[in-house]
Amino acid sequence: MELIHDASMRLLEEQGIELLSAQARQLFKQAGAEVDETSGIVRGPRELFMEALDHAPETFVLTPRNPDKALEIGANNIHFGFVSGPPNIHDHVNGRRPGNLKDYRKLVSLAQYFNVISLMGNQATAPTDLPANTRHLDTYRETILLMDKVFSAVPIGVGRVRDAVEMVALARGISTDALHRDPSVLTNINVNSPRKLDDTMADAAIYMAWHGQAVIVTPFTLMGAMTPVTLAGALVQQNAEAVFGLTMVQLAGPGAPCVYGGFTSNVDMRSGAPAFGTPENALANIAGGQLARRYGLPYRTSACNASNAADAQAVYETQAVLWSAVMGHGNIVYHSAGWLEGGLVASFEKVIIDVESLQTMACILQPIDVSEEEIGLAAVEEVGPGGHFFGTSHTIERYKTAFYEPLLSDWQNQENWQQAGAKTATTRATETWQKVLETFEAPALDPSRREALDDYVSRRKNEIGDGEP
Amino acid sequence: MELIHDASMRLLEEQGIELLSAQARQLFKQAGAEVDETSGIVRGPRELFMEALDHAPETFVLTPRNPDKALEIGANNIHFGFVSGPPNIHDHVNGRRPGNLKDYRKLVSLAQYFNVISLMGNQATAPTDLPANTRHLDTYRETILLMDKVFSAVPIGVGRVRDAVEMVALARGISTDALHRDPSVLTNINVNSPRKLDDTMADAAIYMAWHGQAVIVTPFTLMGAMTPVTLAGALVQQNAEAVFGLTMVQLAGPGAPCVYGGFTSNVDMRSGAPAFGTPENALANIAGGQLARRYGLPYRTSACNASNAADAQAVYETQAVLWSAVMGHGNIVYHSAGWLEGGLVASFEKVIIDVESLQTMACILQPIDVSEEEIGLAAVEEVGPGGHFFGTSHTIERYKTAFYEPLLSDWQNQENWQQAGAKTATTRATETWQKVLETFEAPALDPSRREALDDYVSRRKNEIGDGEP
């Protein structure tokens, strides 16, 4: 790890990062970095970066409109995030289609329904039926109305993150000043790897830092395309880019909550196609956690896959990176429910399949109770050699809650399963999400706050008009 | 862990284990245990068990007929075992059917073909088309002819394990005395939980220990049915039963190779159906490894599932317990390819799906090379901000072997995948096993050894006739 750290510091010292935001370059110049205004390249000694990161908190709390769903980010906490970003939707009833607001609502409802999902990063799908310059207002409103958990601002330009900050303050019924001291919102900016940080993302991050909201900096890197083809090279570049972006956040708002992000997978070297859930992706998930901890920062990682269907491939790829995300001490695991087709699709069936395995993981992470009562030696004596435990009081007192009860798994024998239609898990998942959506009820919100949100959205839509890209 | 250990020692001291083998009871009596010849119950002070286990080696080597495929068992070695035991077969061409010798051959060929499979435990399927009293001779012969890896003797009675020992000696062209010093064979005995060890298994284990071959002792326990409903209670009972069986092995042959086995899952408390790949199963896999290491013993665990199809459920259940088996430092992971329907079926498609994820796991367990050449800072400089790495010499020199190349995963885009027939991973797995079997070639075996095996089998079949249950 120290070799990776050292090489990434040399990268920042000798090669630097191209930074497209003038205000961000100004921050680095003031901190003593070497800034080339022609090329936009920023270089600096490692001390500059390490000192800036010293200001970043090791843990912080994000409080959504329902304070019971506040999240401590960092330490030993693991929070599973819903799929975010796909331009398309798929389910087994309606097939594949472009993202749209109606499906967006359904996806947010699913994210709200399942307790194992702690937060939503970016939009669960892009509602491509709405104008690109104002659709974030619609998705923020829908998200706040349907979900009382932490969610992410769209990290493209100051306008979009400011709208998130303002709207969450309205939803909580507090001022943006109060929100500064008690943050709610996070956003995730990507580095345009290799070595390029664009201005809309940089400026969004700076705005967030100024307002005390959380920024995740995640270099989006596919080994062989956007980084060297080696894991070591990819990790060095990821680390340099993440440290650079996080330094920018700390220079803008020293002490602002921020998160080290890793998103390093590889391409298929025969076709150039992106791949996820590969061994290389898994190793990067683990190594990213080591690097984040080296700097005392919370860690964001992901659990993705490249399958075209919610099938066995989707699951074994996802599991390889989910387990490595958790074993790597990921504090936030993005895309852990619903991601399909390398992120081009949000899949309803995959949401259900993933929730089952996230719930399983949450149970596995519970310590084993080894009290005398739980051990129950008297029950063993009572049953005797060759007997069974079904009828003992030790069993009867506990059987209802002794084991995880699955959401999707079917444990019938083959004959009964055949008679019930021989449905695979993916087929049963369709029934599960349909049932959830049929009975879903949005969490209550004070009508005056809802009105304030509606007013804000319509005022901003008027303001924006055809403007704001 | 110490609480689990202590309670299991109390179980052995106070309640004891019913041991049906007279010669096994004699071994315990000679060692100073309290033996009730009426009930068959054996009790003893913890020192008796701990001293016996002190003789067991921490690691040992099993050498099959191909010495290049020798396995060190214990320490940091992980060996993946093929599915073993199912009475039925399933594939997507021929459907579900009872196990038979023809399919047995196919399964052994698959186990041989994939390098990530290190060993085969028991029979890959029971060839129910052959007489029960001699079919082990047929499966041993087929296994030796088609596979040059370590395999397991059928642990039911002395005759069956003796035949394995004799036949492997013939296959290696060495005497059984030489085999004693340089073991090849392992077997796995189950405790008939709760607290009962039957005579056929006990006598088979004692024979193996006398001849220096390896014995795994695995209590087969389903929480709520064969153990208390709690994890703590199940682990206590598992540990007591495993320690008891391993003590018997060490009393028979002090220093004989042996392995601590764990196979603790749970039942569905609504139906009583066995479940695998549950969070409880995963936690037991991890805790079992801690207990085995406490006694300085190699650890055998499993990666099972309870799905009726080689679908998403089969994979997420398997993955939960595969990862916990590996994270729990399992030295031998039984059933890690091909297990389906809670062990009632060996599935050809599941073999392929599992091999893909085992290969992935094997890659994940490789350390990252962090040499200067691998890091390739010069390549990062050469590409510059916003560029791509496809054409750099650093990439070109490495791209062919840089990444794991999948066996089954399909990374085409959605359009191409649709045009290619929209095949799920399970459908593609059918094509994969068919291709493997079409081109499979059995590993060479000296014709004189083959002849010796044939002679042995026909001599023993005559000997057995209608006898030997």
Side-chain angles (χ1 to χ4, degrees):
Chain A
M1 195 187 44
E2 284 307 308
L3 291 171
I4 304 255
H5 164 72
D6 178 68
S8 65
M9 292 301 112
R10 282 188 282 143
L11 195 159
L12 291 173
E13 288 169 341
E14 296 160 16
Q15 301 184 23
I17 304 287
E18 184 181 340
L19 182 54
L20 300 188
S21 157
Q23 70 169 341
R25 289 198 301 273
Q26 189 60 27
L27 289 171
F28 276 101
K29 206 178 286 176
Q30 284 166 358
E34 178 197 329
V35 178
D36 182 331
E37 283 293 339
T38 313
S39 66
I41 298 274
V42 176
R43 295 180 187 81
R46 62 188 67 195
E47 293 74 19
L48 186 158
F49 299 99
M50 292 300 100
E51 279 164 24
L53 294 196
D54 277 348
H55 295 289
E58 289 194 24
T59 66
F60 58 89
V61 174
L62 293 177
T63 303
R65 74 169 170 93
N66 179 351
D68 293 341
K69 297 189 179 172
L71 306 177
E72 188 188 40
I73 311 287
N76 271 336
N77 303 292
I78 303 176
H79 301 300
F80 295 120
F82 205 65
V83 62
S84 51
N88 302 295
I89 298 286
H90 185 274
D91 71 62
H92 280 251
V93 180
N94 304 300
R96 194 178 192 271
R97 54 204 184 270
N100 59 79
L101 193 66
K102 198 177 155 200
D103 282 314
Y104 184 86
R105 282 193 200 106
K106 291 183 188 173
L107 286 167
V108 176
S109 303
L110 292 174
Q112 168 68 11
Y113 182 81
F114 292 109
N115 293 331
V116 79
I117 302 295
S118 295
L119 61 97
M120 207 170 74
N122 209 345
Q123 295 162 334
T125 185
T128 56
D129 53 337
L130 299 179
N133 60 344
T134 57
R135 65 167 75 132
H136 66 283
L137 294 162
D138 299 294
T139 60
Y140 292 159
R141 178 169 51 189
E142 296 300 330
T143 305
I144 291 168
L145 295 181
L146 294 167
M147 193 179 87
D148 60 3
K149 301 177 181 181
V150 168
F151 70 96
S152 163
V154 178
I156 305 177
V158 170
R160 287 185 177 82
V161 292
R162 188 181 56 222
D163 288 334
V165 169
E166 299 276 354
M167 288 176 71
V168 170
L170 294 174
R172 289 183 64 188
I174 63 175
S175 70
T176 52
D177 276 356
L179 200 72
H180 193 141
R181 294 184 298 273
D182 177 15
S184 292
V185 187
L186 83 165
T187 200
N188 181 92
I189 67 163
N190 293 121
V191 181
N192 193 350
S193 301
R195 295 169 53 212
K196 197 170 184 173
L197 182 50
D198 79 20
D199 50 353
T200 55
M201 291 233 172
D203 291 345
I206 290 169
Y207 179 91
M208 293 283 279
W210 281 345
H211 292 79
Q213 307 303 302
V215 178
I216 308 172
V217 179
T218 310
F220 176 81
T221 59
L222 293 172
M223 285 177 259
M226 293 126 93
T227 73
V229 76
T230 58
L231 254 170
L235 289 167
V236 164
Q237 189 186 307
Q238 170 195 297
N239 194 56
E241 293 172 349
V243 164
F244 184 87
L246 292 162
T247 296
M248 178 187 76
V249 169
Q250 290 304 314
L251 293 176
C258 62
V259 178
Y260 182 109
F263 195 105
T264 291
S265 191
N266 56 299
V267 295
D268 177 354
M269 290 308 290
R270 289 170 304 184
S271 68
F276 302 102
T278 62
E280 294 77 21
N281 191 181
L283 282 164
N285 276 3
I286 294 167
Q290 290 179 284
L291 290 161
R293 284 194 297 285
R294 191 197 181 286
Y295 306 120
L297 296 169
Y299 175 46
R300 169 248 147 129
T301 176
S302 307
C304 302
N305 72 91
S307 185
N308 283 296
D311 64 352
Q313 177 184 338
V315 179
Y316 65 68
E317 288 183 342
T318 301
Q319 291 289 309
V321 282
L322 173 66
W323 272 88
S324 58
V326 171
M327 294 297 114
H329 292 241
N331 299 115
I332 302 179
V333 186
Y334 259 55
H335 308 305
S336 56
W339 168 290
L340 208 61
E341 280 187 39
L344 293 177
V345 151
S347 155
F348 282 61
E349 281 76 21
K350 186 70 170 21
V351 167
I352 303 303
I353 292 167
D354 286 336
V355 164
E356 176 86 307
S357 70
L358 295 176
Q359 291 182 166
T360 297
M361 181 65 83
C363 289
I364 293 172
L365 295 171
Q366 296 296 319
I368 300 171
D369 180 349
V370 290
S371 62
E372 273 294 299
E373 301 73 45
E374 282 286 292
I375 287 176
L377 274 189
V380 177
E381 183 140 37
E382 180 189 335
V383 166
H388 71 76
F389 288 76
F390 287 119
T392 66
S393 57
H394 189 264
T395 303
I396 289 168
E397 284 160 18
R398 289 168 176 81
Y399 81 95
K400 280 188 185 160
T401 56
F403 305 135
Y404 169 64
E405 195 173 321
L407 173 71
L408 182 60
S409 282
D410 185 331
W411 296 334
Q412 295 183 89
N413 67 30
Q414 174 73 17
E415 205 172 27
N416 291 342
W417 178 77
Q418 287 285 1
Q419 279 171 9
K423 292 172 188 161
T424 66
T426 305
T427 302
R428 299 193 304 270
T430 305
E431 297 166 13
T432 306
W433 67 253
Q434 286 177 317
K435 248 181 259 172
V436 169
L437 292 181
E438 269 165 31
T439 59
F440 178 76
E441 285 180 34
L445 181 66
D446 186 304
S448 68
R449 293 187 193 173
R450 181 181 177 136
E451 209 174 304
L453 283 169
D454 288 345
D455 290 349
Y456 183 90
V457 168
S458 78
R459 180 170 63 72
R460 277 287 289 148
K461 282 193 175 175
N462 281 334
E463 236 176 70
I464 292 172
D466 293 335
E468 299 192 17
Chain B
M1 195 185 47
E2 284 308 309
L3 291 172
I4 303 252
H5 163 72
D6 178 66
S8 64
M9 292 301 111
R10 280 188 282 142
L11 196 157
L12 291 174
E13 289 168 342
E14 296 160 15
Q15 302 185 23
I17 304 287
E18 183 182 341
L19 182 55
L20 300 189
S21 158
Q23 67 170 341
R25 289 198 301 272
Q26 190 59 27
L27 290 171
F28 276 100
K29 206 177 288 176
Q30 284 164 358
E34 178 198 329
V35 177
D36 181 332
E37 283 294 337
T38 312
S39 66
I41 298 274
V42 176
R43 297 179 184 81
R46 62 188 66 194
E47 294 73 20
L48 186 159
F49 298 100
M50 292 299 100
E51 279 164 25
L53 294 196
D54 276 349
H55 294 290
E58 288 194 24
T59 66
F60 58 88
V61 174
L62 292 178
T63 304
R65 74 170 171 91
N66 180 350
D68 294 342
K69 297 187 178 173
L71 306 178
E72 189 189 39
I73 310 289
N76 272 334
N77 303 292
I78 303 175
H79 302 299
F80 295 120
F82 205 65
V83 61
S84 50
N88 301 294
I89 298 287
H90 185 273
D91 71 62
H92 280 252
V93 181
N94 305 300
R96 194 177 191 270
R97 56 203 182 272
N100 59 79
L101 192 67
K102 197 175 156 201
D103 281 315
Y104 183 86
R105 284 193 199 105
K106 290 182 188 172
L107 287 166
V108 176
S109 303
L110 293 173
Q112 167 69 11
Y113 182 81
F114 293 110
N115 293 331
V116 81
I117 302 297
S118 295
L119 62 97
M120 206 169 76
N122 210 344
Q123 294 161 336
T125 186
T128 56
D129 53 338
L130 299 179
N133 60 343
T134 57
R135 66 168 75 132
H136 66 283
L137 294 162
D138 299 294
T139 59
Y140 291 159
R141 178 169 52 191
E142 295 302 328
T143 305
I144 291 169
L145 296 182
L146 293 167
M147 193 179 87
D148 60 4
K149 302 176 181 181
V150 168
F151 70 96
S152 165
V154 177
I156 305 180
V158 170
R160 287 184 177 81
V161 291
R162 187 181 54 220
D163 288 334
V165 170
E166 298 277 352
M167 288 176 72
V168 170
L170 294 175
R172 289 182 65 188
I174 63 175
S175 68
T176 52
D177 276 355
L179 201 72
H180 192 141
R181 294 184 296 273
D182 177 15
S184 292
V185 186
L186 84 164
T187 202
N188 180 94
I189 67 163
N190 292 123
V191 181
N192 193 351
S193 301
R195 296 168 54 213
K196 196 170 185 173
L197 182 50
D198 78 22
D199 49 353
T200 55
M201 291 230 173
D203 291 344
I206 290 170
Y207 180 92
M208 293 285 279
W210 281 345
H211 292 79
Q213 308 303 301
V215 178
I216 310 172
V217 179
T218 310
F220 177 80
T221 59
L222 294 171
M223 284 176 261
M226 292 126 92
T227 73
V229 77
T230 59
L231 254 170
L235 289 167
V236 164
Q237 189 187 306
Q238 170 195 297
N239 194 57
E241 293 172 348
V243 164
F244 183 87
L246 291 162
T247 296
M248 179 188 73
V249 168
Q250 291 304 313
L251 293 177
C258 63
V259 178
Y260 181 110
F263 194 105
T264 292
S265 191
N266 56 299
V267 294
D268 178 354
M269 289 308 290
R270 289 171 305 185
S271 68
F276 301 102
T278 62
E280 294 78 21
N281 190 182
L283 282 164
N285 276 2
I286 294 167
Q290 291 179 283
L291 289 162
R293 286 193 297 285
R294 191 199 180 284
Y295 306 119
L297 296 170
Y299 175 47
R300 171 248 149 130
T301 176
S302 308
C304 302
N305 72 92
S307 184
N308 282 297
D311 64 351
Q313 176 185 337
V315 179
Y316 65 68
E317 288 183 341
T318 301
Q319 291 288 308
V321 280
L322 173 67
W323 272 87
S324 58
V326 170
M327 294 297 115
H329 292 243
N331 298 116
I332 302 179
V333 186
Y334 259 56
H335 308 305
S336 57
W339 169 289
L340 208 62
E341 280 188 38
L344 293 178
V345 150
S347 154
F348 283 62
E349 281 76 20
K350 186 70 171 20
V351 167
I352 303 303
I353 292 167
D354 286 335
V355 164
E356 177 85 308
S357 71
L358 295 176
Q359 291 181 167
T360 297
M361 181 63 83
C363 289
I364 293 171
L365 295 172
Q366 296 295 319
I368 300 172
D369 179 350
V370 289
S371 61
E372 274 294 298
E373 302 72 46
E374 282 286 289
I375 287 174
L377 274 187
V380 178
E381 184 141 37
E382 180 189 335
V383 166
H388 69 77
F389 288 77
F390 287 119
T392 65
S393 56
H394 189 263
T395 303
I396 289 167
E397 285 160 17
R398 289 169 176 81
Y399 81 95
K400 279 187 186 162
T401 57
F403 304 135
Y404 169 66
E405 194 172 322
L407 173 71
L408 182 60
S409 283
D410 184 329
W411 296 335
Q412 294 183 88
N413 66 29
Q414 175 72 18
E415 206 172 28
N416 292 342
W417 178 75
Q418 287 286 1
Q419 281 171 8
K423 293 173 189 160
T424 66
T426 305
T427 303
R428 299 193 304 271
T430 306
E431 297 166 14
T432 305
W433 67 254
Q434 287 177 316
K435 248 181 256 171
V436 169
L437 292 182
E438 270 165 30
T439 60
F440 178 76
E441 286 182 32
L445 180 66
D446 186 306
S448 69
R449 294 187 192 174
R450 182 182 175 133
E451 209 173 305
L453 285 169
D454 289 345
D455 290 347
Y456 183 90
V457 168
S458 77
R459 179 170 64 76
R460 278 288 287 149
K461 282 192 176 176
N462 281 336
E463 234 174 69
I464 293 173
D466 292 336
E468 298 192 18

